[in-house]
Amino acid sequence: MTMKDQDGWKDLPTPAVVVDLDIVERNIKTMAEQAATYGIRHRPHIKTHRSGYLANLQIQAGCCGVTAAKLGEAQVMADCGIQDIFIAYPIIGQDKLQWLFELSQRVKVSGIINSVEGAKALSRRFEQAGKRFTVLIEIDGGLNRGGVKPMEHALFFGNQVKDLPGLDIRGLMYYGRLIYNSRDKTEVEAYCKRERDQLVETAELLRAHGFTMEVLSAGSSFSGKYPWLLEGITEIRSGHYIFNDCGQLDVGLAQPEDCALRVVTTVVAKPDEETVICDVGTKSLTSDMCHHRKGYGYIDQYPDMEVYALNEEHAFVRQAGGNPLRIGEKITIVPNHACVVTNLARKVYGFRGGRLERMIPIDARGRSE
């Protein structure tokens, strides 16, 4: 059942963000169970939903912990009862190091290193307290975003930091962002194999030189759907799989009935016969584009319509040959990028079976510090 088959959302004030909890729970269960079949743990990235309620659903489904992008998100997850948090971001600066140390005294926290300077500062802070902090070496997956290059480059870096007294190096982290450039499932599969091979082969090289490589962390929301191609890694960090979005629809990794998050909007103007304007814009829907899709989202009720432009508070929707939408009608839009949408909302409406079940606060909204 898709949102267009239900009508409980039609009474909501707009713009509104709606989450189908039946689909959410199915997506969580499927990802965790498929990964476990191949001996892979799931540590989902909470930057997609930023919600303590949804994070706890993931833990209850068997996830081993969560991944956060920033300390602010990690703090909120700890406040919401999550006990095992991996921060997939370099912690730089004395204020952040102190914050990390205090958080580590409350819950189990681990992180990454990708520079000698950062590793030394992290080591000093924990050594001062007679502690050791668990880290993974970040491996660049092709984006050139901060990780060290695979193989010999990683070994060289590892040898520079392996004796730092405040750190406990336990493995590698890899983020294969280039997989989102894929045009079809064949390209997705090729990126999955590259991800596995680069991470596993780098781990084997470091292991041969005396490093402990018990955690090999990878797996995006694309590659996480192919766990049989990731055998050898130990955990995946899929994030927006919980909702799915137009990025997944583009490549055929999801269908509209697999998409759990939508933005409800009302038609407020009709400047011509082919165009309507809706009361949602970049402040609620996100201006992110997809690689291989025109416009700013998928309209459930009219899949051939295009959200061709956005202002801050306006969405411009057109259909060649005549637009049947009338002023006052409501539609639901699957966003291009679900992760941004939740950070724009204070709360989302949680529906089950077409009925409003609960309001879900976005606990970590704006917590990107």
Side-chain angles (χ1 to χ4, degrees):
M1 179 179 290
T2 63
M3 193 64 69
K4 70 179 181 181
D5 302 314
Q6 305 172 9
D7 58 10
W9 51 271
K10 291 183 179 178
D11 295 326
L12 298 178
T14 60
V17 181
V18 174
V19 169
D20 187 311
L21 293 172
D22 292 315
I23 300 175
V24 159
E25 291 177 2
R26 185 173 73 238
N27 291 344
I28 292 173
K29 182 174 184 287
T30 298
M31 182 71 76
E33 289 183 351
Q34 286 185 348
T37 299
Y38 294 90
I40 303 173
R41 298 185 298 271
H42 189 199
R43 183 182 291 276
H45 214 312
I46 60 86
K47 69 183 178 68
T48 297
H49 55 71
R50 294 171 173 253
S51 159
Y53 172 75
L54 295 176
N56 277 292
L57 286 184
Q58 291 171 314
I59 296 298
Q60 292 162 18
C63 295
C64 63
V66 303
T67 302
K70 295 293 189 72
L71 275 166
E73 294 174 355
Q75 179 80 52
V76 172
M77 289 300 107
D79 293 342
C80 291
I82 305 299
Q83 296 297 307
D84 190 337
I85 304 169
F86 172 60
I87 303 174
Y89 202 88
I91 305 299
I92 303 296
Q94 292 304 312
D95 59 330
K96 296 284 176 37
L97 291 170
Q98 179 60 27
W99 189 0
L100 174 66
F101 178 78
E102 292 172 0
L103 184 61
S104 73
Q105 303 309 293
R106 293 181 50 200
V107 297
K108 181 180 178 182
V109 184
S110 54
I112 66 166
I113 52 173
N114 60 20
S115 70
V116 173
E117 296 85 353
K120 286 182 176 179
L122 189 56
S123 173
R124 281 195 299 270
R125 178 62 192 88
F126 279 82
E127 184 192 12
Q128 289 170 4
K131 306 285 187 179
R132 291 169 67 86
F133 183 67
T134 298
V135 295
L136 306 181
I137 296 172
E138 182 185 8
I139 303 298
D140 174 50
L143 194 60
N144 201 30
R145 197 178 70 174
V148 299
K149 304 300 181 186
M151 301 303 290
E152 287 78 8
H153 296 278
L155 177 60
F156 178 75
F157 174 74
N159 283 330
Q160 290 180 291
V161 298
K162 67 180 181 180
D163 295 323
L164 293 176
L167 299 184
D168 184 11
I169 300 172
R170 307 303 295 177
L172 306 175
M173 184 200 86
Y174 182 103
Y175 177 48
R177 172 62 178 82
L178 296 180
I179 197 171
Y180 292 112
N181 296 336
S182 300
R183 290 166 293 186
D184 53 41
K185 291 181 180 180
T186 299
E187 291 188 2
V188 171
E189 291 174 8
Y191 276 115
C192 290
K193 294 173 184 176
R194 171 185 170 178
E195 180 174 325
R196 176 202 61 203
D197 291 347
Q198 287 191 334
L199 189 58
V200 171
E201 290 171 10
T202 301
E204 289 174 350
L205 176 63
L206 268 68
R207 195 176 287 121
H209 286 79
F211 286 85
T212 297
M213 291 283 116
E214 68 180 26
V215 178
L216 301 184
S217 177
S220 62
S221 283
F222 276 21
S223 62
K225 293 185 174 181
Y226 290 85
W228 54 92
L229 297 179
L230 299 178
E231 283 191 278
I233 74 169
T234 67
E235 67 180 35
I236 58 174
R237 304 186 314 278
S238 303
H240 66 78
Y241 83 99
I242 189 174
F243 296 142
N244 292 313
D245 52 25
C246 285
Q248 299 266 355
L249 295 179
D250 274 358
V251 191
L253 295 181
Q255 299 301 316
E257 57 267 27
D258 303 314
C259 295
L261 180 143
R262 286 165 169 79
V263 179
V264 185
T265 181
T266 302
V267 177
V268 294
K270 191 165 186 175
D272 58 60
E273 288 304 308
E274 294 188 344
T275 307
V276 298
I277 298 173
C278 298
D279 66 345
V280 64
T282 58
K283 290 180 178 178
S284 301
L285 185 59
T286 173
S287 59
D288 282 9
M289 300 291 289
C290 287
H291 290 292
H292 312 297
R293 171 186 290 270
K294 293 193 300 182
Y296 295 91
Y298 170 91
I299 299 175
D300 286 292
Q301 295 77 15
Y302 299 97
D304 294 330
M305 281 189 186
E306 180 188 355
V307 184
Y308 71 90
L310 295 177
N311 293 155
E312 289 182 74
E313 310 290 353
H314 302 80
F316 298 79
V317 180
R318 65 186 170 199
Q319 180 163 291
N323 194 319
L325 286 171
R326 300 183 302 273
I327 292 174
E329 282 193 79
K330 294 180 180 179
I331 56 174
T332 55
I333 302 174
V334 177
N336 284 346
H337 189 186
C339 303
V340 182
V341 172
T342 51
N343 197 45
L344 297 170
R346 292 182 296 111
K347 59 188 178 182
V348 300
Y349 295 83
F351 276 69
R352 190 184 300 278
R355 296 177 178 272
L356 178 63
E357 179 180 284
R358 66 178 65 240
M359 298 303 301
I360 303 173
I362 307 302
D363 306 284
R365 178 185 185 234
R367 297 301 305 272
S368 294
E369 69 272 28

